[in-house]
Amino acid sequence: MADQLSPEEKFNLITRNLQEVLGEEKLKQVLQERELKVYWGTATTGKPHVAYFVPMSKIADFLRAGCEVTILFADLHAYLDNMKAPWELLELRVKYYEQVIKAMLESIGVPLEKLRFIKGTDYQLSREYTLDVYRLSSMVTEHDAKKAGAEVVKQVEHPLLSGLLYPGLQALDEEYLKVDAQFGGVDQRKIFTLAEKYLPSLGYAKRAHLMNPMVPGLTGTKMSSSEEDSKIDLLDSKEDVKKKLKKAFCEPGNIQNNGVLSFVKHVLFPLRGEFFIKRDPKWGGDKVYTGFEEVEKDFAEELIHPGDLKASVEVALNQLLDPIRKKFQSPELRKLTNSAYPDPSKTKAGKGAKTAGGGGEDDELVPSRLDIRVGKIISVEKHPDADSLFLEKIDVGEPEPRTVVSGLVAYVSQEELQDRTVLVLCNLKPQKMRGIESQAMLLCASVEGEPRRVEPLDPPEGSSAGERVFVEGYESGKADERLNPKKKVWEKLQVDLKISDECVAQWKDRKLLTKLGQITCKTLKGGNIS
């Protein structure tokens, strides 16, 4: 196919669905003369998940465009990034990554013979490379190194020197792999600009950079190998896929931070060129979409129900995962998986000792970490760009009210919300919803079914804005200043928030209270809280 494409057509195929390209003119110049050489690197840390199909589908594009593609298993980077991969597991993790990445590529029909696979330590420990690391470290400031790795290297209170070396090594890889361009997520942009700034200082050419958008995970944040709730593992059973998709964030009409929609856009359409929605005839019947824009438009207008979207993605995703699951049923690969990712419960004692000494990274999961307050809705109006969303100003006891975006239009009237006293979770990371930043979450009870029912939680009569809400028995705990999205504290605690048969809000059968009494809802016995 590549032989039949013009340089312009190759450029369009290489750059489609990318969020940003640095060095477009360089790419076009190379394509006029020869095929492009590009590399994609992956640090061999946590288990690859379904979001890895996004770069895999772009690699398929690169090959269709005639590119010479190198895949780097960045084992040394995995160790340098705050030791995400222990030294003794590096070799096993590389073998696992190689097997699973190859299985993914075979699953989407990519011929492996057209790819070059290389391990970082095959050349990163050489005399020449090591000297270049020293040369680079004499030029790059601590500020620039820290800034470059801010969105990629794990950020901790007392960072290790290894994390500062990480961006420089990634820059040098471009020279030592002899490529024209590096491909990665837009979260690596600062590393790419560091490479563009410093490689010429070493006498090396400045490369082009191709950046994919970051695909939201199932919880609406970045899908991560180290966050179990945000991802579907490549070896998850069909039952687990169904369960995780069912819990995925997919609000009716909301196309922002929607991991299910993003998967359709960045994986299914590039690979298949179409998307099949299967649904009951009374809701419009089955439909084949040939462009993502039409899917997005229909979902935004609520012509596609979240349940139908999830069910259709589930079918397509299982078709991609089945060959990978089958390959990893072999005794050799099962043994490799267990060796590369040993059961953490078997090393729990050792990890506990580390935590006791202050070196552990997991804080205790207790409800007092949630900053839940009584709020008073000062104003409420429809979101200017989303018919299913309300835009509220809520007094939570601070000098200025907070802006809160909530998907309650289908469940609660504007009049019912105006001047209402409610419960607000105040220490989530602010998130943009259809272009407007939501600075907190209005907590509601809900019961699934047809129709779904939702009610805001009610604090005791006489409650004032800003009053703290606590769980019985956890009155003295201090709330986090801001919940770390990567730790999924809210998501893990929220699972146990329920409404009792007496319509009282509870966490693990303990009541939610203010100083004036218990939190309730009006009618939704046995409901969930979110």
Side-chain angles (χ1 to χ4, degrees), residues 387-458:
D387 292 340
S388 63
L389 302 177
F390 277 132
L391 188 63
E392 302 124 0
K393 295 287 185 182
I394 304 182
D395 178 4
V396 291
E398 296 171 339
E400 297 294 329
R402 294 202 187 192
T403 299
V404 178
V405 181
S406 57
L408 294 176
V409 171
Y411 310 106
V412 187
S413 71
Q414 198 166 331
E415 292 72 26
E416 284 180 277
L417 288 175
Q418 181 65 48
D419 299 320
R420 183 169 181 154
T421 308
V422 292
L423 257 63
V424 183
L425 178 59
C426 294
N427 58 343
L428 289 174
K429 183 180 179 181
Q431 269 200 337
K432 280 197 173 181
M433 297 181 71
R434 299 297 289 271
I436 295 178
E437 185 175 78
S438 183
Q439 300 167 332
M441 179 190 287
L442 197 162
L443 294 179
C444 296
S446 64
V447 172
E448 301 303 320
E450 290 295 338
R452 183 173 187 251
R453 292 182 293 156
V454 180
E455 295 175 2
L457 295 178
D458 294 317

Side-chain angles (χ1 to χ4, degrees), residues 133-283:
V133 171
Y134 287 136
R135 288 173 66 204
L136 195 59
S137 66
S138 71
M139 300 173 184
V140 181
T141 65
E142 181 264 352
H143 172 270
D144 281 2
K146 190 172 182 180
K147 179 182 175 184
E151 294 188 52
V152 177
V153 179
K154 184 172 182 177
Q155 301 299 296
V156 293
E157 188 176 355
H158 301 292
L160 298 171
L161 181 59
S162 58
L164 299 177
L165 293 173
Y166 186 113
L169 269 67
Q170 187 168 334
L172 286 173
D173 289 340
E174 296 178 354
E175 170 63 24
Y176 280 79
L177 293 173
K178 302 301 178 187
V179 295
D180 304 305
Q182 182 179 174
F183 165 59
V186 75
D187 59 336
Q188 300 188 56
R189 190 183 195 281
K190 292 173 183 174
I191 293 180
F192 293 163
T193 55
L194 177 125
E196 293 190 5
K197 178 180 178 180
Y198 286 104
L199 280 189
S201 301
L202 293 172
Y204 299 141
K206 183 166 78 171
R207 269 66 176 189
H209 294 96
L210 312 168
M211 283 169 272
N212 251 349
M214 299 311 297
V215 176
L218 301 181
T219 54
T221 56
K222 174 182 171 183
M223 199 177 288
S224 168
S225 296
S226 55
E227 296 170 32
E228 192 60 36
D229 293 337
S230 80
K231 66 187 179 74
I232 293 174
D233 191 274
L234 294 168
L235 301 181
D236 275 348
S237 66
K238 290 185 177 182
E239 293 74 22
D240 285 337
V241 170
K242 181 184 286 291
K243 184 169 67 176
K244 289 182 178 181
L245 276 174
K246 189 174 181 180
K247 291 167 62 179
F249 174 81
C250 192
E251 197 172 49
N254 187 357
I255 60 175
Q256 303 295 321
N257 295 318
N258 188 325
V260 184
L261 265 183
S262 292
F263 191 80
V264 175
K265 177 179 181 179
H266 293 287
V267 176
L268 299 182
F269 268 106
L271 293 177
R272 300 182 170 187
E274 63 180 27
F275 179 58
F276 179 71
I277 283 278
K278 186 172 178 59
R279 59 189 171 188
D280 193 292
K282 70 178 180 181
W283 303 119

